[in-house]
Amino acid sequence: MMYLSNKKTIMFISGAFISHSCWKKWIVFFEDEGYKTVAPPWLCKNELAVDLRQTHPKSKIASIRLFDVLEYYTEIIDKLPEKPILIGHSYGGLLTQLLMQKELGSHGICLNSIPPGNLMHFNFPFYKAVWNLSDHFSSSNKTYLMPFKAWQHYFANQISFEEQKEAYESLLIPESKSIMRDIFSRSAKIDFKKKHNPLLFVSGSKDALVPASLNYLNFKKYKNLHSITCYKEFQDFNHLSITDENWQAIADFIANWLKKIS
């Protein structure tokens, strides 16, 4: 076990549709590495996934917008004694990019990150996925509960049916339709030329929601010559890589990257 003389804080940021309990093993791992950790749930999501599903479709979650979540994390960070290391997954990766742009993180790690709205690309399956997961033809006053088939395809491909079912039941929560639509709003724009603290993008070669090529494009778009931006692709990992049985390979890589970059 390694103890840092001056413990740094890591803030874990979960993505849309996923309970913050997804970070349980990561918290233990990084605390064993000598870090302090926090993994706050999103607004209106501080309950078990199974309980949150009971509130669908009339959950308060339906009213959440990207701006609200950004403000919420900004307030939490402002109360910390230092700028934390931000580790975000999926939509949490986009939040990490936006918080780093606001100079609120000492380091940012974006895992299977949803790309910002102003990243121009021609990955039509991604646009289709966001369209499907925001349920455009229904009222935004009600939450969207991802069907198991969509979960299997976008989040949990590459693993057994039993593992897919277990992850669905323990992690899946209803989501705001507006938060998915906000990916393409002004709130989700990144200034890729702005100077920033070190950023690491991590992708999975079997990610069916945000393919590795899209993660790589997101990474390559950063153009500031005075800033550190890195990229790592892991073979055979899906979108839900943080709960994969081999999740620690990613955590080990991040821990080593932080030691080298700090």
Side-chain angles (χ1 to χ4, degrees):
M1 188 185 298
M2 186 193 100
Y3 289 97
L4 304 179
S5 56
N6 181 21
K7 282 191 176 184
K8 294 276 187 183
T9 301
I10 290 177
M11 176 181 282
F12 294 105
I13 305 176
S14 46
F17 304 103
I18 300 286
S19 166
H20 65 294
S21 65
C22 64
W23 298 112
K24 283 189 295 187
K25 293 179 180 177
W26 287 70
I27 287 168
V28 173
F29 175 88
F30 278 99
E31 288 186 352
D32 283 348
E33 286 282 314
Y35 294 92
K36 292 177 288 186
T37 65
V38 289
W42 282 23
L43 291 158
C44 308
K45 294 183 179 180
N46 193 18
E47 293 177 56
L48 294 173
V50 64
D51 295 326
L52 288 170
R53 287 198 296 275
Q54 296 300 316
T55 68
H56 172 73
K58 297 180 180 179
S59 171
K60 291 178 183 176
I61 292 170
S63 64
I64 297 171
R65 305 295 300 261
L66 171 56
F67 176 81
D68 302 322
V69 183
L70 269 178
E71 286 294 296
Y72 165 76
Y73 276 107
T74 299
E75 286 176 16
I76 295 172
I77 291 169
D78 284 343
K79 291 172 185 172
L80 295 175
E82 61 180 358
K83 289 182 183 180
I85 296 161
L86 305 174
I87 300 182
H89 171 252
S90 190
Y91 206 114
L94 172 59
L95 290 168
T96 295
Q97 285 183 257
L98 293 166
L99 291 166
M100 292 294 289
Q101 180 168 254
K102 292 174 74 173
E103 301 178 12
L104 292 172
S106 66
H107 303 72
I109 296 99
C110 306
L111 304 164
N112 311 92
S113 189
I114 296 285
N118 60 323
L119 180 73
M120 297 301 295
H121 61 87
F122 299 98
N123 194 293
F124 296 110
F126 172 75
Y127 290 123
K128 182 183 177 184
V130 173
W131 177 273
N132 290 339
L133 297 176
S134 55
D135 200 13
H136 266 270
F137 296 111
S138 62
S139 169
S140 60
N141 294 325
K142 296 180 180 179
T143 49
Y144 174 73
L145 191 67
M146 190 191 305
F148 181 60
K149 277 195 170 183
W151 172 265
Q152 286 179 298
H153 176 69
Y154 291 123
F155 278 69
N157 58 314
Q158 298 295 114
I159 59 176
S160 70
F161 177 82
E162 290 75 16
E163 290 171 314
Q164 290 174 337
K165 199 76 177 169
E166 183 184 348
Y168 185 83
E169 289 171 1
S170 64
L171 294 177
L172 183 89
I173 55 181
E175 193 49 80
S176 158
K177 297 168 188 174
S178 297
I179 202 117
M180 294 306 293
R181 298 167 190 176
D182 281 349
I183 291 168
F184 305 109
S185 71
R186 290 179 64 184
S187 299
K189 288 188 175 181
I190 291 290
D191 179 356
F192 291 104
K193 294 178 181 178
K194 183 180 178 182
K195 189 175 181 181
H196 59 80
N197 283 338
L199 263 175
L200 169 64
F201 287 85
V202 175
S203 69
S205 69
K206 301 295 184 182
D207 190 333
L209 179 59
V210 189
S213 58
L214 195 47
N215 269 281
Y216 184 73
L217 187 64
N218 197 354
F219 149 73
K220 284 291 286 182
K221 192 74 174 174
Y222 280 86
K223 300 294 186 188
N224 189 282
L225 296 175
H226 305 288
S227 303
I228 296 170
T229 318
C230 304
Y231 176 83
K232 172 68 175 177
E233 179 180 331
F234 282 86
Q235 292 302 307
D236 301 322
F237 276 86
N238 63 14
H239 190 68
L240 205 58
S241 57
I242 58 170
T243 62
D244 187 271
E245 62 179 357
N246 297 314
W247 66 272
Q248 195 169 328
I250 301 174
D252 279 328
F253 181 87
I254 292 169
N256 288 328
W257 181 80
L258 286 169
K259 287 169 194 168
K260 287 177 186 174
I261 227 82
S262 298

